[in-house]
Amino acid sequence: MRIRVFRELLKLSVREFVIYRMTATLTVLFGLMFYGIELLAGVVYYQFTDSIMGMARNDYMILITTANIIQMGYQLLFVASHERLEDAIIEGELDYALIRPVNSFLYYAFQRMDIASGVGLIVSVGFLSFFVQGYEVSGIRVIGYIVGIILGIWMLFLVNHNIVMLSFWVEKSSKISGIPEYLFELASRPRGIYPSILVWLLSYILPFFMAINTPIELITDNGSKVGEVYYLVFLIIASAITYTLWNNGLKKYASAN
């Protein structure tokens, strides 16, 4: 039953992609354009130097490409659901999910997929395969990178989901919904360019730096094991807190019916 429900959601996402082809096409084009601008900026930055704050050009390209893969992965899996969830909470339209034989948290997390973002994800992966050619990449490191990407996508989901869930208690949480995207963009740059206090905050309080750098450290085998363990523990605790807040929010929920 549960598998059938999520299969229906996938079919609905594909149907919406086909129906809104123009919107999907623009999403793909703008996504590729912004990523292309990032790559072009990297070329300009390194035109007259081999290193910026201790980071070589290829390392910088891997950094921004990894950030783009995580961003595209989040948009593919979760952004469409988050865009609908706030209105559903405020307008009392969660009933349909709550009466179905599925976990309501997972149902609304994976309610829709933004198929168009999958194109940007594939393109980014293609560029990454080019940038990592200078590294000794083994199968186990590739698996580690993929796991790191999945954790990064989940990290971005948790932060955005908690902001959307504020709608259970206050209206229009969308007013601060852009903050995670802004902080994530900051973390997609070399850590050395920021003040130490900001690096600490984005590494341990809201570890966006770890979300982006952990996959790179896993594929290059050049990371801190202690930092990776901390990041994993943070995600486990954050997941438990997010799930608890969801259940508490449902107690505050008022149906339109």
Side-chain angles (χ1 to χ4, degrees):
M1 177 66 74
R2 296 178 180 180
I3 294 177
R4 183 168 63 85
V5 170
F6 286 104
R7 188 184 298 122
E8 291 174 358
L9 293 178
L10 178 59
K11 291 180 179 178
L12 180 59
S13 298
V14 174
R15 192 179 304 122
E16 289 180 345
F17 174 77
V18 174
I19 294 173
Y20 301 105
R21 289 189 296 272
M22 180 58 68
T23 301
T25 301
L26 291 176
T27 299
V28 172
L29 290 177
F30 279 111
L32 294 177
M33 181 182 71
F34 287 128
Y35 175 55
I37 291 173
E38 294 278 8
L39 293 178
L40 181 60
V43 173
V44 174
Y45 294 157
Y46 286 91
Q47 187 173 7
F48 302 105
T49 182
D50 295 327
S51 176
I52 297 178
M53 304 300 294
M55 177 173 285
R57 183 175 70 172
N58 214 49
D59 295 332
Y60 177 83
M61 295 301 189
I62 292 175
L63 177 68
I64 61 174
T65 300
T66 298
N68 198 64
I69 289 174
I70 293 174
Q71 182 73 40
M72 290 294 104
Y74 163 74
Q75 292 181 189
L76 171 65
L77 297 174
F78 301 116
V79 74
S81 296
H82 280 161
E83 288 174 350
R84 290 172 171 82
L85 180 55
E86 181 187 358
D87 290 337
I89 293 173
I90 294 174
E91 297 173 9
E93 297 177 352
L94 293 181
D95 303 38
Y96 181 71
L98 298 178
I99 63 175
R100 305 204 72 173
V102 293
N103 183 290
S104 61
F105 178 83
L106 294 178
Y107 180 89
Y108 265 99
F110 296 95
Q111 187 190 24
R112 293 288 192 278
M113 293 178 65
D114 181 25
I115 305 298
S117 296
V119 177
L121 180 63
I122 294 171
V123 171
S124 298
V125 171
F127 274 96
L128 177 73
S129 63
F130 171 76
F131 293 133
V132 299
Q133 288 181 1
Y135 294 93
E136 182 180 344
V137 179
S138 62
I140 190 67
R141 290 186 181 181
V142 172
I143 293 174
Y145 182 86
I146 294 173
V147 170
I149 290 295
I150 294 173
L151 293 179
I153 293 172
W154 186 248
M155 164 73 185
L156 199 52
F157 161 77
L158 290 175
V159 176
N160 282 284
H161 202 69
N162 277 282
I163 288 180
V164 173
M165 284 193 301
L166 289 176
S167 298
F168 281 119
W169 294 274
V170 297
E171 291 189 8
K172 298 303 179 183
S173 63
S174 58
K175 292 180 180 179
I176 60 172
S177 61
I179 293 178
E181 182 177 353
Y182 175 70
L183 294 177
F184 188 81
E185 184 178 352
L186 289 178
S188 65
R189 301 294 184 271
R191 279 180 273 200
I193 67 175
Y194 298 116
S196 57
I197 182 62
L198 182 59
V199 173
W200 185 83
L201 289 173
L202 292 182
S203 295
Y204 300 105
I205 304 302
L206 202 60
F208 280 127
F209 275 125
M210 289 187 177
I212 296 173
N213 285 275
T214 294
I216 300 172
E217 293 169 351
L218 289 172
I219 200 172
T220 60
D221 196 24
N222 190 31
S224 166
K225 301 303 179 184
V226 174
E228 292 168 4
V229 170
Y230 171 83
Y231 177 50
L232 183 59
V233 171
F234 175 91
L235 288 177
I236 293 173
I237 295 175
S239 298
I241 292 174
T242 302
Y243 189 71
T244 300
L245 288 175
W246 172 262
N247 289 322
N248 289 336
L250 291 180
K251 297 176 182 178
K252 300 281 293 183
Y253 168 72
S255 170
N257 298 318

